[in-house]
């Protein structure tokens, strides 16, 4: 039996008459009347008593009403589940790990353009940091990573698609003696206290300062960008940070200075190319993501000199 007959039946019951149901359904009255007669033939019983243009349910009709409501509800649920299953089959899914400043600066524009071009795209983004992010990649929890290296590293079985090279900048309070400069040599900050970052960032800071002839005095350490900016603003120290962490953001009371011969890191998209690597459609999506990220990097580089597209 066509479920449409049950839907028309319930409309007649709720409307109270054939003519009222016809108006609600935008059918002709004879059409609705004929469908109710067809339903009665299928059931083999009378469902209505008709009097003065109105209809009243018989006992059989009341029984059908209760079952029709539950049957249609179940049918609609099945239909929706089937359609959702088909939609998931058609969807293009990508699980992506990315470090926080890439999430904040690069991904929104790139993913916005991708989703506009391909509405079926479904992306799940995990907040990650190297080197732990490679564990997520190799375990299959991510299809790809947006990650960074201070120097180019070749990993067996990993495809590396370069996006940009990102310089470090020096954050200083606006009343700091160096604040009026556009660029400085890192050793010019040797007499200042430093706000360190995570253990990896602290190590990078110490190594770069030692190469320039001094050991930095690190007064406070935090890998929280907001706290770092607040500490710099308060004059606790200066901070060397990757440009993406401050790019395009307004930090009242804090100035970002270009560091001459600045330490830098390469940002790239990486994914596995061995047997356990992503399927063909996912590889195509990763390649598309890479192109969009490079385009965003190029646009940012036109405005900010701290980025070099690769």
């Amino acid at each position: 039996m066509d479920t449409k007959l049950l839907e028309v039946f319930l409309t007649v019951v709720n409307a109270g008459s054939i003519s009222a149901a016809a108006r609600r359904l935008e059918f002709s009255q004879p059409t609705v009347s004929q469908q109710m007669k067809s339903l009665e033939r299928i059931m083999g019983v009378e469902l209505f008593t008709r009097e003065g243009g109105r209809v009243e349910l018989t006992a059989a009709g009341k029984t059908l009403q209760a079952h029709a409501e539950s049957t249609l509800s179940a049918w609609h649920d099945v239909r929706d589940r089937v359609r959702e299953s088909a939609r998931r089959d058609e969807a293009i899914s990508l699980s992506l790990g990315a470090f926080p400043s890439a999430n904040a600066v690069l991904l929104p524009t790139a993913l916005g353009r991708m989703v506009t071009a391909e509405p079926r795209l479904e992306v799940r983004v995990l907040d990650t940091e190297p080197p732990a992010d490679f564990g997520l990649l190799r375990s299959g929890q991510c299809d790809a990573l947006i990650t960074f290296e201070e120097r180019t590293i070749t990993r067996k079985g990993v495809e590396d698609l370069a996006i940009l090279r990102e310089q470090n900048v020096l954050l200083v309070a606006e009343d700091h003696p160096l604040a009026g400069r556009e660029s400085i040599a890192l050793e010019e900050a040797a007499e200042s206290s430093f706000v360190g970052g995570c253990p990896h960032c602290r190590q990078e800071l110490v190594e770069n300062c030692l190469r320039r002839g001094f050991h930095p005095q690190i007064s406070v350490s935090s890998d929280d960008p907001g706290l770092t900016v607040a500490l710099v603003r308060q004059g606790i120290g200066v901070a060397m940070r990757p440009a993406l962490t401050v790019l395009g953001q307004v930090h009242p009371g804090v100035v970002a200075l270009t560091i001459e011969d600045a330490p830098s890191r390469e940002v790239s998209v990486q994914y596995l190319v061995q047997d356990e690597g992503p399927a063909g459609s996912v590889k195509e999506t990763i390649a598309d993501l890479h192109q969009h990220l490079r385009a965003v990097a190029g646009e940012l580089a036109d405005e900010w000199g701290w980025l070099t597209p690769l």
Side-chain angles (χ1 to χ4, degrees):
M1 182 180 64
D2 189 346
T3 57
K4 287 293 183 184
L5 289 179
L6 293 182
E7 293 174 359
V8 174
F9 167 75
L10 290 176
T11 303
V12 171
V13 172
N14 293 328
S17 69
I18 298 291
S19 58
R23 288 193 295 272
R24 290 187 186 183
L25 295 168
E26 297 183 348
F27 292 168
S28 68
Q29 183 173 334
T31 297
V32 175
S33 181
Q34 183 179 6
Q35 288 179 329
M36 291 302 92
K37 290 178 180 178
S38 295
L39 182 58
E40 287 179 323
R41 284 197 298 272
I42 291 171
M43 293 296 172
V45 295
E46 288 188 355
L47 301 173
F48 302 101
T49 58
R50 296 161 175 83
E51 184 175 342
R54 296 190 58 80
V55 294
E56 297 289 341
L57 287 174
T58 63
K62 292 178 181 178
T63 300
L64 178 60
Q65 179 186 12
H67 288 286
E69 290 171 346
S70 59
T71 297
L72 285 177
S73 177
W75 167 246
H76 290 158
D77 183 59
V78 170
R79 181 194 61 193
D80 292 344
R81 288 173 182 267
V82 170
R83 290 177 178 176
E84 174 64 19
S85 176
R87 189 190 67 79
R88 285 197 301 267
D89 286 344
E90 294 174 356
I92 302 171
S93 298
L94 178 67
S95 180
L96 181 66
F99 59 97
S101 55
N103 286 338
V105 180
L106 299 175
L107 264 184
T109 300
L111 290 182
R113 293 171 181 175
M114 291 177 69
V115 171
T116 298
E118 178 50 84
R120 296 179 301 164
L121 181 63
E122 295 179 354
V123 182
R124 181 172 67 99
V125 180
L126 299 178
D127 198 356
T128 62
E129 287 276 7
D133 53 0
F134 289 100
L136 297 175
L137 184 64
R138 293 200 179 278
S139 66
Q141 296 179 65
C142 290
D143 298 314
L145 299 174
I146 301 176
T147 189
F148 61 82
E149 307 280 1
E150 274 72 36
R151 59 192 65 85
T152 302
I153 297 177
T154 301
R155 289 184 171 84
K156 184 178 179 181
V158 176
E159 182 71 20
D160 187 294
L161 306 175
I163 301 170
L164 59 90
R165 182 158 285 279
E166 170 195 14
Q167 295 181 11
N168 276 260
V169 298
L170 190 71
L171 303 179
V172 302
E174 64 181 2
D175 58 356
H176 190 280
L178 297 173
R181 304 274 297 278
E182 289 188 1
S183 65
I184 64 162
L186 186 57
E187 54 267 29
E188 293 182 78
E191 300 302 318
S192 299
S193 295
F194 279 79
V195 176
C198 64
H200 174 82
C201 296
R202 283 171 59 96
Q203 180 182 353
E204 181 188 16
L205 171 64
V206 171
E207 290 176 352
N208 278 277
C209 290
L210 289 176
R211 282 196 290 268
R212 289 161 174 81
F214 72 100
H215 193 289
Q217 176 187 344
I218 301 176
S219 54
V220 183
S221 290
S222 172
D223 58 0
D224 183 323
L227 178 56
T228 297
V229 169
L231 292 171
V232 171
R233 183 186 299 116
Q234 291 297 318
I236 303 300
V238 301
M240 188 178 77
R241 289 292 186 273
L244 286 178
T245 63
V246 297
L247 204 65
Q249 300 181 46
V250 177
H251 298 300
V254 175
V255 179
L257 305 178
T258 299
I259 302 173
E260 297 170 4
D261 298 321
S264 63
R265 63 189 189 184
E266 182 176 304
V267 179
S268 64
V269 176
Q270 298 186 4
Y271 66 94
L272 298 179
V273 292
Q274 297 173 325
D275 292 341
E276 64 270 27
S281 61
V282 177
K283 285 184 179 180
E284 293 174 3
T285 304
I286 293 171
D288 191 29
L289 172 65
H290 174 238
Q291 293 304 313
H292 280 285
L293 288 169
R294 290 186 73 246
V296 173
E299 293 163 9
L300 291 172
D302 289 340
E303 184 176 359
W304 306 94
W306 302 319
L307 304 180
T308 303
L310 298 176

